[in-house]
Amino acid sequence: MKYYIIAGEASGDLHGSNLMKALYDEDPQAEIRFWGGDLMQKVGGTLVKHYRDLAFMGFIEVVFNLKTILSNIKFCKKDIADFAPDALIFIDYPGFNMRIAQWAKIKGIPTHYYISPQIWAWKENRIKAVKRDFDYLYVILPFEKEFYEQKHHFPVHFVGHPLIDAIHNRQTTDQNTFVAQNELEDKPIIAVLPGSRKQEISKMLSVMLSVTDTFNDYQFVIAGAPSQPKEFYQSFLQNKNVHFVANQTYDLLSHARAALVTSGTATLETALFKVPEVVCYKGSWASYQIAKRIITLKYISLVNLIMDAPVVAELIQDDCSTQKITQELQKILEPEHRKKLLQQYDALENKLGGTGASKKTAQLIVRSLTSERS
């Protein structure tokens, strides 16, 4: 059967690659065409467009790039129509994917949404479009099933979180080799995860690295995003206590003592690696003013949202300062605080439903197509 997958970000590329592997296991004759990244490309299929050409951050930035976005939507529709897939699979990336889904539903193409839009965070009125345009929804957070089924009477499949699979299945470089290969020092590591988009990285890295002089017994190591060249980070590497690794985030987290993390999927990844973290976020002034008026959540990190408690410190906008980052980083490096935090991380992983998200989703997709044909 033929599958068309759209993933528009680095996290979608990771989960898309694991879903593709599972689809090939379930359907060895599968033909897959996709929007994604390097990880998906390594699995097989045909890459149509790389996510690095799609990522626009914030309300204002989207407006400035509207012409490019509309051009991508037009191209995507034509490419799907020419491929004529048996299943169209969307991975997160709701602003783009929900537009394509509306068109696809009218065309009679079966629509599957894996890692559903976070309408529980904002734009809850999108539930009308979700119910109208998607045949199948596969959710990855435990509270999402209740949100969709009890509050909005829309049946969904809770498949567990794919990050657990990605982390459990990783091949980790041992610490000595990792340190030697990357020319790091013989000091404990504080990982710095500033995001994957240029605007995000530029905004976050300066303030994240402003605390380095207070922690001379540690080395700060930036996790380079696969979508950005090392040259982009060069201006941040002048400090002797700051290092850089490219495309090795999981190895970095495997050996880190603590982390500074920009809000997003990386906050959950860091917790699942059992690394104490401080969550940091600064947006443009205009985007932040808009966001705080329409997003009503108590927390911005997935860790705190899932646990419904302030497990990790969140430093947002004006609170994301050198002084406050220093205070919170000192706190999570204290042995007693670290021990309590790691216990909460264990509870978090238990809530996420264990391994097998990609396999469960692939089985459900293939089963739906088989039943439609019978």
Side-chain angles (χ1 to χ4, degrees), residues 87-323:
L88 179 54
I89 303 167
F90 304 95
I91 300 179
D92 203 1
Y93 200 49
F96 186 90
N97 277 337
M98 292 186 72
R99 284 173 176 259
I100 300 299
Q102 183 177 6
W103 167 85
K105 184 69 173 180
I106 294 170
K107 295 294 182 182
I109 302 169
T111 51
H112 301 254
Y113 211 149
Y114 177 44
I115 309 179
S116 61
Q118 296 178 348
I119 63 173
W120 40 265
W122 68 303
K123 291 190 177 181
E124 191 169 341
N125 61 342
R126 279 181 167 182
I127 186 63
K128 295 177 184 177
V130 169
K131 295 170 80 168
R132 180 192 66 213
D133 298 331
F134 295 100
D135 298 308
Y136 305 95
L137 213 60
Y138 311 98
V139 301
I140 63 171
L141 299 172
F143 59 80
E144 288 181 316
K145 186 173 178 65
E146 179 181 342
F147 171 82
Y148 281 107
E149 294 190 342
Q150 295 187 22
K151 186 172 184 180
H152 292 292
H153 312 292
F154 184 62
V156 301
H157 299 282
F158 172 58
V159 294
H161 206 292
L163 275 180
I164 296 177
D165 284 337
I167 291 169
H168 278 246
N169 296 336
R170 75 191 187 280
Q171 292 182 330
T172 303
T173 305
D174 71 81
Q175 185 161 359
N176 290 336
T177 302
F178 177 72
V179 168
Q181 286 178 344
N182 292 286
E183 300 179 350
L184 303 181
E185 300 173 71
D186 185 22
K187 290 181 179 180
I189 292 170
I190 295 175
V192 182
L193 280 62
S196 60
R197 304 178 182 98
K198 276 190 176 180
Q199 302 103 312
E200 187 176 42
I201 297 166
S202 298
K203 180 75 73 173
M204 296 307 307
L205 260 182
S206 294
V207 68
M208 288 170 134
L209 296 176
S210 68
V211 304
T212 56
D213 289 344
T214 309
F215 298 90
N216 289 317
D217 292 337
Y218 296 84
Q219 57 184 324
F220 290 74
V221 183
I222 300 169
S227 56
Q228 308 300 339
K230 182 177 180 180
E231 293 73 30
F232 174 68
Y233 297 89
Q234 207 62 49
S235 63
F236 300 100
L237 300 177
Q238 308 307 316
N239 188 314
K240 64 180 180 180
N241 204 25
V242 178
H243 304 270
F244 174 87
V245 299
N247 305 324
Q248 300 176 73
T249 301
Y250 279 11
D251 278 341
L252 175 58
L253 288 174
S254 295
H255 305 305
R257 184 69 178 173
L260 302 177
V261 187
T262 298
S263 67
T265 305
T267 64
L268 183 56
E269 288 177 304
T270 303
L272 291 174
F273 271 96
K274 309 300 165 64
V275 179
E277 66 184 298
V278 180
V279 176
C280 308
Y281 181 77
K282 268 183 182 286
S284 68
W285 182 87
S287 291
Y288 176 69
Q289 293 302 317
I290 294 169
K292 75 177 185 177
R293 285 165 172 76
I294 62 177
I295 298 175
T296 58
L297 296 175
K298 289 190 288 185
Y299 309 108
I300 65 166
S301 70
L302 281 172
V303 175
N304 291 349
L305 283 168
I306 294 165
M307 296 299 287
D308 194 25
V311 174
V312 297
E314 298 181 349
L315 302 179
I316 307 168
Q317 211 66 6
D318 292 340
D319 283 338
C320 188
S321 65
T322 301
Q323 180 183 4

